[in-house]
Coordinates of all heavy atoms in Angstrom, one line a residue:
M26 N 147.5 104.7 113.0 CA 147.5 103.6 112.2 C 148.0 103.9 110.8 O 148.1 105.0 110.4 CB 146.0 103.0 112.1 CG 145.2 103.8 111.1 SD 143.8 102.8 110.5 CE 144.3 101.2 110.8
T27 N 148.4 102.8 110.1 CA 149.1 103.0 108.8 C 148.2 102.3 107.8 O 147.7 101.2 108.0 CB 150.5 102.3 108.8 OG1 151.3 102.9 109.8 CG2 151.1 102.5 107.5
V28 N 148.0 103.0 106.7 CA 147.4 102.5 105.5 C 148.5 102.4 104.4 O 149.2 103.3 104.1 CB 146.3 103.4 104.9 CG1 145.7 102.8 103.6 CG2 145.1 103.5 106.0
R29 N 148.7 101.1 103.9 CA 149.7 100.9 102.9 C 149.0 100.6 101.6 O 148.1 99.8 101.5 CB 150.6 99.7 103.3 CG 151.5 100.1 104.5 CD 152.5 99.1 104.9 NE 152.6 97.9 104.2 CZ 153.5 97.0 104.5 NH1 154.3 97.1 105.5 NH2 153.5 95.9 103.7
Y30 N 149.5 101.2 100.5 CA 149.0 101.1 99.2 C 149.9 100.2 98.4 O 151.1 100.4 98.4 CB 148.9 102.5 98.5 CG 148.2 103.5 99.4 CD1 148.9 104.5 100.1 CD2 146.8 103.5 99.5 CE1 148.2 105.4 100.8 CE2 146.1 104.4 100.2 CZ 146.8 105.4 100.9 OH 146.2 106.3 101.7
W31 N 149.3 99.3 97.6 CA 150.1 98.4 96.8 C 149.7 98.6 95.3 O 148.5 98.9 95.0 CB 149.8 96.9 97.2 CG 150.3 96.7 98.6 CD1 149.6 96.8 99.7 CD2 151.6 96.4 98.9 NE1 150.4 96.5 100.8 CE2 151.7 96.3 100.3 CE3 152.8 96.2 98.2 CZ2 152.9 96.0 101.0 CZ3 154.0 95.9 98.9 CH2 154.0 95.8 100.3
A32 N 150.7 98.4 94.4 CA 150.5 98.4 93.0 C 149.7 99.6 92.5 O 150.1 100.7 92.7 CB 149.9 97.1 92.5
A33 N 148.6 99.4 91.8 CA 147.8 100.5 91.3 C 147.3 101.5 92.3 O 147.2 102.7 92.1 CB 146.6 99.9 90.5
A34 N 147.1 101.0 93.5 CA 146.7 101.9 94.6 C 147.8 102.8 95.0 O 147.6 104.0 95.2 CB 146.2 101.1 95.9
R35 N 149.0 102.3 95.0 CA 150.2 103.2 95.3 C 150.3 104.2 94.1 O 150.6 105.4 94.4 CB 151.4 102.4 95.4 CG 152.7 103.2 95.7 CD 153.9 102.3 95.8 NE 153.8 101.5 97.0 CZ 154.6 100.5 97.3 NH1 155.6 100.2 96.6 NH2 154.4 99.8 98.4
A36 N 150.2 103.8 92.9 CA 150.3 104.7 91.8 C 149.2 105.8 91.9 O 149.4 107.0 91.6 CB 150.2 104.0 90.5
A37 N 148.0 105.4 92.2 CA 146.9 106.3 92.3 C 147.0 107.3 93.4 O 146.6 108.5 93.3 CB 145.5 105.6 92.4
A38 N 147.5 106.8 94.6 CA 147.7 107.7 95.7 C 148.9 108.6 95.6 O 149.0 109.7 96.2 CB 147.8 106.8 97.0
G39 N 149.9 108.1 94.9 CA 151.2 108.9 94.8 C 152.1 108.7 96.0 O 153.1 109.4 96.1
V40 N 151.7 107.9 96.9 CA 152.5 107.6 98.1 C 152.5 106.1 98.4 O 151.6 105.4 98.0 CB 152.1 108.4 99.3 CG1 152.3 109.9 99.1 CG2 150.7 108.1 99.7
E41 N 153.5 105.7 99.2 CA 153.5 104.3 99.6 C 152.6 104.0 100.7 O 152.0 102.9 100.8 CB 155.0 104.0 100.0 CG 155.3 102.6 100.2 CD 156.8 102.4 100.5 OE1 157.6 102.7 99.6 OE2 157.1 101.9 101.6
S42 N 152.4 105.0 101.6 CA 151.6 104.7 102.8 C 151.2 106.1 103.4 O 151.7 107.1 103.1 CB 152.3 103.9 103.9 OG 153.4 104.6 104.4
D43 N 150.2 106.0 104.3 CA 149.7 107.2 105.0 C 149.5 106.8 106.5 O 149.2 105.6 106.7 CB 148.3 107.7 104.5 CG 148.5 108.6 103.2 OD1 149.3 109.4 103.2 OD2 147.7 108.3 102.3
R44 N 149.6 107.8 107.3 CA 149.3 107.5 108.8 C 148.0 108.3 109.1 O 147.7 109.4 108.6 CB 150.4 108.1 109.7 CG 151.7 107.5 109.4 CD 152.3 106.5 110.3 NE 152.0 106.6 111.7 CZ 151.6 105.6 112.5 NH1 151.5 104.4 112.0 NH2 151.3 105.8 113.7
F45 N 147.1 107.6 109.8 CA 145.8 108.2 110.3 C 145.7 108.0 111.8 O 146.1 107.0 112.3 CB 144.6 107.5 109.5 CG 144.6 107.8 108.1 CD1 145.3 107.0 107.2 CD2 143.9 108.9 107.6 CE1 145.2 107.2 105.8 CE2 143.8 109.1 106.2 CZ 144.5 108.3 105.3
D46 N 145.1 109.0 112.4 CA 144.7 108.9 113.8 C 143.2 108.3 113.8 O 142.4 108.8 113.1 CB 144.7 110.2 114.5 CG 146.1 110.7 114.7 OD1 147.0 109.9 114.9 OD2 146.3 112.0 114.6
V47 N 143.0 107.2 114.5 CA 141.7 106.7 114.7 C 141.4 106.5 116.1 O 142.2 106.2 117.0 CB 141.6 105.3 114.0 CG1 141.8 105.4 112.5 CG2 142.6 104.3 114.5
G48 N 140.1 106.7 116.4 CA 139.6 106.6 117.8 C 138.9 105.3 118.0 O 138.7 104.5 117.0
P49 N 138.5 105.0 119.2 CA 137.7 103.8 119.5 C 136.5 103.8 118.7 O 135.8 104.8 118.5 CB 137.4 103.9 121.0 CG 138.4 104.9 121.5 CD 138.7 105.8 120.4
G50 N 136.2 102.6 118.1 CA 134.9 102.4 117.3 C 135.0 102.9 115.9 O 134.1 102.8 115.2
T51 N 136.2 103.3 115.4 CA 136.4 103.6 114.0 C 136.3 102.4 113.2 O 136.9 101.3 113.5 CB 137.8 104.3 113.8 OG1 137.9 105.5 114.6 CG2 137.9 104.7 112.3
T52 N 135.5 102.5 112.1 CA 135.3 101.3 111.2 C 136.0 101.5 109.9 O 136.4 102.7 109.6 CB 133.8 101.1 111.0 OG1 133.2 102.3 110.4 CG2 133.0 100.7 112.3
L53 N 136.1 100.4 109.2 CA 136.9 100.5 107.9 C 136.2 101.5 106.9 O 136.9 102.2 106.2 CB 136.9 99.1 107.3 CG 137.6 98.9 106.0 CD1 139.1 99.4 106.1 CD2 137.6 97.5 105.5
D54 N 134.9 101.5 106.9 CA 134.3 102.5 106.0 C 134.6 103.9 106.3 O 134.9 104.7 105.4 CB 132.8 102.3 105.9 CG 132.0 102.7 107.1 OD1 132.5 102.3 108.2 OD2 131.0 103.3 107.0
V55 N 134.8 104.3 107.5 CA 135.2 105.6 108.0 C 136.6 105.8 107.5 O 137.0 106.9 107.0 CB 135.0 105.8 109.5 CG1 135.6 107.1 110.0 CG2 133.5 105.8 109.8
L56 N 137.5 104.9 107.8 CA 138.9 105.0 107.4 C 139.0 105.2 105.9 O 139.8 106.0 105.4 CB 139.7 103.8 107.8 CG 141.2 103.8 107.4 CD1 141.9 105.0 108.1 CD2 141.8 102.5 107.7
L57 N 138.3 104.4 105.1 CA 138.4 104.5 103.6 C 137.9 105.8 103.1 O 138.4 106.4 102.2 CB 137.7 103.3 103.0 CG 138.3 102.0 103.2 CD1 137.4 100.9 102.5 CD2 139.7 101.9 102.8
K58 N 136.9 106.4 103.8 CA 136.5 107.8 103.5 C 137.6 108.8 103.8 O 137.9 109.7 103.0 CB 135.2 108.2 104.2 CG 134.7 109.6 103.9 CD 133.5 110.0 104.6 CE 133.0 111.3 104.2 NZ 133.9 112.3 103.8
Q59 N 138.3 108.6 104.9 CA 139.4 109.5 105.2 C 140.5 109.3 104.1 O 141.1 110.3 103.8 CB 140.0 109.1 106.6 CG 139.1 109.5 107.7 CD 139.6 109.1 109.1 OE1 140.6 108.3 109.1 NE2 139.0 109.5 110.1
V60 N 140.8 108.1 103.6 CA 141.7 107.9 102.6 C 141.3 108.7 101.3 O 142.1 109.4 100.8 CB 141.9 106.4 102.2 CG1 142.6 106.2 100.9 CG2 142.6 105.7 103.4
R61 N 140.1 108.5 100.9 CA 139.6 109.3 99.7 C 139.6 110.8 99.9 O 140.0 111.5 99.0 CB 138.2 108.8 99.4 CG 138.1 107.4 98.8 CD 136.8 107.0 98.3 NE 135.7 107.0 99.4 CZ 135.4 106.0 100.2 NH1 136.0 104.8 100.0 NH2 134.5 106.1 101.1
D62 N 139.3 111.2 101.1 CA 139.3 112.7 101.4 C 140.7 113.2 101.4 O 141.0 114.3 100.8 CB 138.7 113.0 102.7 CG 137.2 112.8 102.8 OD1 136.6 112.7 101.7 OD2 136.6 112.8 103.9
R63 N 141.7 112.5 101.9 CA 143.1 112.9 102.0 C 143.6 113.1 100.6 O 144.5 113.9 100.3 CB 143.9 112.0 102.8 CG 145.4 112.5 102.8 CD 146.2 111.8 103.8 NE 145.8 112.0 105.1 CZ 146.4 111.5 106.2 NH1 147.4 110.7 106.1 NH2 145.9 111.8 107.4
H64 N 143.2 112.3 99.7 CA 143.7 112.3 98.3 C 142.6 112.7 97.3 O 142.6 112.2 96.2 CB 144.2 110.9 97.9 CG 145.4 110.4 98.8 ND1 146.6 110.9 98.6 CD2 145.4 109.6 99.9 CE1 147.4 110.4 99.5 NE2 146.7 109.6 100.3
A65 N 141.8 113.7 97.7 CA 140.7 114.2 96.9 C 141.3 114.7 95.6 O 140.6 114.7 94.6 CB 139.9 115.2 97.6
D66 N 142.5 115.2 95.6 CA 143.1 115.7 94.4 C 143.6 114.6 93.4 O 144.1 114.9 92.3 CB 144.3 116.6 94.7 CG 145.4 115.9 95.5 OD1 145.1 114.9 96.2 OD2 146.6 116.3 95.3
R67 N 143.4 113.4 93.8 CA 143.8 112.2 93.0 C 142.5 111.3 92.8 O 142.5 110.3 93.5 CB 144.9 111.5 93.6 CG 146.2 112.4 93.8 CD 147.3 111.7 94.4 NE 147.9 110.8 93.4 CZ 149.0 111.1 92.6 NH1 149.5 112.2 92.7 NH2 149.4 110.2 91.8
P68 N 141.6 111.7 92.0 CA 140.3 111.0 92.0 C 140.4 109.6 91.5 O 139.5 108.8 91.9 CB 139.5 111.9 91.0 CG 140.4 112.7 90.2 CD 141.6 112.9 91.1
R69 N 141.4 109.2 90.8 CA 141.5 107.8 90.4 C 141.6 106.9 91.7 O 141.2 105.7 91.6 CB 142.7 107.6 89.5 CG 142.9 106.2 89.0 CD 143.9 106.2 87.9 NE 144.5 105.0 87.5 CZ 144.4 103.7 87.9 NH1 143.7 103.5 88.9 NH2 145.1 102.7 87.4
L70 N 142.2 107.4 92.7 CA 142.3 106.5 93.9 C 141.0 106.0 94.5 O 140.9 104.9 94.9 CB 143.1 107.3 95.0 CG 143.3 106.5 96.3 CD1 144.1 105.3 96.1 CD2 143.9 107.4 97.4
A71 N 140.0 106.9 94.4 CA 138.6 106.4 94.9 C 138.2 105.2 94.1 O 137.6 104.2 94.7 CB 137.6 107.6 94.8
D72 N 138.4 105.2 92.8 CA 138.0 104.0 92.0 C 138.8 102.8 92.4 O 138.2 101.7 92.5 CB 138.2 104.4 90.5 CG 137.2 105.4 90.0 OD1 136.1 105.6 90.6 OD2 137.6 106.1 89.0
V73 N 140.1 103.0 92.5 CA 141.0 101.9 92.9 C 140.6 101.3 94.2 O 140.5 100.1 94.4 CB 142.5 102.3 92.8 CG1 143.3 101.1 93.3 CG2 142.8 102.7 91.4
V74 N 140.4 102.2 95.2 CA 140.1 101.7 96.6 C 138.8 100.9 96.5 O 138.6 99.9 97.2 CB 139.9 102.9 97.5 CG1 139.3 102.5 98.8 CG2 141.3 103.5 97.8
G75 N 137.9 101.3 95.6 CA 136.6 100.5 95.5 C 136.7 99.1 95.1 O 135.8 98.3 95.4
V76 N 137.8 98.7 94.5 CA 138.0 97.3 94.0 C 139.1 96.6 94.8 O 139.4 95.4 94.4 CB 138.2 97.3 92.5 CG1 137.0 97.8 91.7 CG2 139.5 98.0 92.1
C77 N 139.7 97.2 95.7 CA 140.8 96.6 96.5 C 140.3 95.5 97.4 O 139.3 95.6 98.0 CB 141.5 97.7 97.3 SG 142.7 98.7 96.4
S78 N 141.2 94.5 97.5 CA 141.1 93.6 98.7 C 141.7 94.3 99.8 O 142.7 95.1 99.7 CB 141.8 92.3 98.4 OG 141.2 91.6 97.3
V79 N 141.2 94.1 101.0 CA 141.7 94.8 102.2 C 142.1 93.8 103.3 O 141.4 92.8 103.6 CB 140.6 95.7 102.8 CG1 141.1 96.5 104.0 CG2 140.1 96.7 101.7
L80 N 143.3 94.0 103.8 CA 143.7 93.3 105.0 C 143.8 94.3 106.2 O 144.3 95.4 106.0 CB 145.1 92.7 104.8 CG 145.3 91.7 103.8 CD1 146.8 91.3 103.7 CD2 144.5 90.4 104.1
V81 N 143.3 93.9 107.3 CA 143.4 94.7 108.6 C 144.3 93.9 109.4 O 143.9 92.8 109.9 CB 142.1 95.0 109.2 CG1 142.3 95.7 110.6 CG2 141.2 95.8 108.3
G82 N 145.6 94.3 109.6 CA 146.6 93.5 110.2 C 146.8 92.3 109.3 O 147.1 92.5 108.1
D83 N 146.7 91.1 109.8 CA 146.8 89.9 108.9 C 145.5 89.3 108.6 O 145.4 88.2 108.1 CB 147.8 88.9 109.5 CG 147.3 88.4 110.9 OD1 146.3 88.9 111.4 OD2 148.0 87.5 111.5
R84 N 144.4 90.0 108.9 CA 143.0 89.5 108.7 C 142.4 90.0 107.4 O 142.2 91.2 107.2 CB 142.1 89.9 109.9 CG 142.5 89.4 111.2 CD 141.7 90.1 112.3 NE 142.1 91.5 112.4 CZ 141.3 92.5 112.6 NH1 140.0 92.4 112.7 NH2 141.8 93.7 112.7
P85 N 142.1 89.1 106.4 CA 141.4 89.6 105.2 C 140.0 90.0 105.6 O 139.3 89.3 106.3 CB 141.4 88.4 104.3 CG 142.0 87.2 105.1 CD 142.4 87.7 106.4
V86 N 139.6 91.1 105.0 CA 138.3 91.6 105.3 C 137.2 90.8 104.4 O 136.2 90.5 104.9 CB 138.2 93.1 105.0 CG1 136.7 93.6 105.0 CG2 139.1 93.9 105.9
G87 N 137.6 90.5 103.2 CA 136.8 89.7 102.3 C 135.4 90.3 102.2 O 135.3 91.5 101.8
A88 N 134.4 89.5 102.4 CA 133.0 90.0 102.1 C 132.4 90.6 103.4 O 131.2 91.0 103.4 CB 132.2 88.8 101.7
H89 N 133.2 90.9 104.4 CA 132.7 91.5 105.6 C 132.2 92.9 105.3 O 132.8 93.6 104.5 CB 133.7 91.6 106.7 CG 134.1 90.2 107.3 ND1 133.4 89.6 108.2 CD2 135.1 89.4 106.9 CE1 133.9 88.4 108.5 NE2 135.0 88.3 107.7
D90 N 131.2 93.4 105.9 CA 130.6 94.7 105.7 C 131.6 95.7 106.3 O 131.9 95.6 107.5 CB 129.3 94.8 106.4 CG 128.6 96.2 106.3 OD1 129.3 97.2 105.9 OD2 127.4 96.3 106.5
P91 N 132.2 96.7 105.6 CA 133.1 97.6 106.1 C 132.6 98.5 107.2 O 133.4 99.0 108.0 CB 133.5 98.5 104.9 CG 133.0 97.8 103.7 CD 131.9 96.9 104.1
T92 N 131.3 98.6 107.4 CA 130.7 99.3 108.5 C 130.8 98.6 109.8 O 130.6 99.1 110.8 CB 129.2 99.7 108.2 OG1 128.4 98.6 108.2 CG2 129.1 100.6 107.0
E93 N 131.1 97.3 109.7 CA 131.2 96.4 110.9 C 132.6 96.0 111.2 O 132.9 95.3 112.2 CB 130.3 95.2 110.7 CG 128.9 95.6 110.6 CD 128.0 94.4 110.4 OE1 128.4 93.2 110.4 OE2 126.8 94.6 110.1
V94 N 133.6 96.4 110.4 CA 135.0 96.0 110.6 C 135.7 97.1 111.3 O 135.9 98.2 110.8 CB 135.7 95.7 109.3 CG1 137.2 95.4 109.5 CG2 135.1 94.6 108.5
E95 N 136.1 96.9 112.6 CA 136.7 97.9 113.4 C 138.2 98.0 113.1 O 138.8 96.9 112.9 CB 136.5 97.6 114.9 CG 136.9 98.8 115.8 CD 136.5 98.6 117.2 OE1 135.6 97.9 117.5 OE2 137.2 99.3 118.1
V96 N 138.7 99.2 113.0 CA 140.2 99.4 112.9 C 140.6 100.1 114.1 O 139.9 100.9 114.7 CB 140.5 100.2 111.6 CG1 140.2 99.4 110.4 CG2 139.8 101.5 111.5
R97 N 141.9 99.8 114.5 CA 142.4 100.3 115.8 C 143.7 101.0 115.6 O 144.5 100.6 114.7 CB 142.5 99.2 116.8 CG 141.2 98.5 117.1 CD 141.4 97.3 118.1 NE 140.2 96.6 118.3 CZ 139.7 95.6 117.6 NH1 140.4 95.1 116.6 NH2 138.6 95.0 118.0
A98 N 144.0 101.9 116.5 CA 145.3 102.5 116.5 C 146.4 101.3 116.6 O 146.2 100.3 117.3 CB 145.5 103.4 117.8
G99 N 147.4 101.5 115.8 CA 148.4 100.4 115.7 C 148.2 99.4 114.6 O 149.1 98.7 114.3
D100 N 147.0 99.3 114.1 CA 146.7 98.4 113.0 C 147.5 98.9 111.7 O 147.7 100.1 111.5 CB 145.2 98.4 112.6 CG 144.4 97.5 113.5 OD1 145.1 96.6 114.2 OD2 143.2 97.5 113.5
T101 N 147.7 98.0 110.8 CA 148.1 98.3 109.5 C 147.1 97.8 108.5 O 146.7 96.7 108.6 CB 149.5 97.7 109.1 OG1 150.5 98.2 110.0 CG2 149.9 98.0 107.6
V102 N 146.5 98.7 107.7 CA 145.5 98.3 106.7 C 146.2 98.3 105.3 O 146.9 99.3 104.9 CB 144.3 99.3 106.7 CG1 143.4 99.0 105.6 CG2 143.6 99.2 108.0
E103 N 146.1 97.2 104.6 CA 146.7 97.0 103.3 C 145.7 97.1 102.3 O 144.7 96.4 102.4 CB 147.4 95.6 103.3 CG 148.3 95.2 104.4 CD 149.7 95.7 104.4 OE1 150.1 96.3 103.3 OE2 150.4 95.6 105.3
L104 N 145.9 97.9 101.3 CA 144.9 98.0 100.1 C 145.6 97.4 98.9 O 146.6 97.9 98.4 CB 144.6 99.5 99.9 CG 143.9 100.2 101.0 CD1 143.6 101.7 100.6 CD2 142.6 99.5 101.4
L105 N 145.0 96.3 98.5 CA 145.6 95.4 97.4 C 144.7 95.4 96.2 O 143.7 94.7 96.3 CB 145.8 94.0 98.0 CG 146.7 94.0 99.2 CD1 146.1 93.2 100.3 CD2 148.1 93.4 98.8
P106 N 145.0 96.1 95.2 CA 144.2 96.1 94.0 C 144.2 94.7 93.3 O 145.2 94.0 93.5 CB 144.7 97.2 93.1 CG 145.9 97.8 93.8 CD 146.1 97.0 95.1
P107 N 143.2 94.4 92.5 CA 143.3 93.2 91.7 C 144.5 93.3 90.8 O 144.8 94.3 90.3 CB 142.0 93.1 91.0 CG 141.3 94.4 91.1 CD 142.0 95.2 92.2
F108 N 145.1 92.1 90.5 CA 146.2 92.1 89.5 C 146.1 90.8 88.7 O 145.4 89.9 89.1 CB 147.5 92.2 90.2 CG 147.8 91.1 91.2 CD1 148.5 90.0 90.7 CD2 147.4 91.1 92.5 CE1 148.7 88.9 91.6 CE2 147.6 90.1 93.3 CZ 148.3 89.0 92.9
A109 N 146.7 90.9 87.5 CA 146.7 89.7 86.7 C 148.2 89.4 86.4 O 149.1 90.2 86.5 CB 146.0 90.0 85.3
G110 N 148.4 88.2 86.1 CA 149.8 87.8 85.8 C 150.0 86.3 85.8 O 149.0 85.6 86.0
G111 N 151.2 85.9 85.7 CA 151.3 84.4 85.6 C 152.6 84.0 86.2 O 153.3 84.4 86.9

């Protein structure tokens, strides 16, 4: 599966995207832990991920509990930090 970082998340991760292997039953909270672990040398990313809106495929996660959101091989997870502008 692919995790794509946008704006401040991309800057904090230092990469545009990462690939992860996920098995059946993997949840979003497990995946986000893997993201933080992979970039442990970039501690700002953990803070940014904590405030990101998340899309799994084209489905917004919104207020869903990340422990109940399943991610599957082939999914793309988008991490979108808040932004301001006009």
Side-chain angles (χ1 to χ4, degrees):
M26 77 155 343
T27 301
V28 174
R29 292 185 2 179
Y30 307 102
W31 294 95
R35 180 178 294 171
V40 295
E41 191 173 300
S42 64
D43 280 314
R44 303 253 328 133
F45 292 89
D46 292 325
V47 296
T51 300
T52 56
L53 181 59
D54 68 316
V55 169
L56 176 65
L57 294 177
K58 181 179 182 328
Q59 291 176 350
V60 166
R61 290 187 298 271
D62 289 349
R63 179 169 294 179
H64 297 282
D66 61 329
R67 301 182 71 96
R69 184 168 161 358
L70 181 61
D72 294 335
V73 174
V74 167
V76 297
C77 281
S78 296
V79 179
L80 296 174
V81 177
D83 60 356
R84 298 170 288 138
V86 172
H89 294 276
D90 182 345
T92 65
E93 297 179 6
V94 176
E95 190 170 338
V96 294
R97 298 175 182 93
D100 279 344
T101 298
V102 173
E103 313 274 353
L104 298 179
L105 302 127
F108 60 93

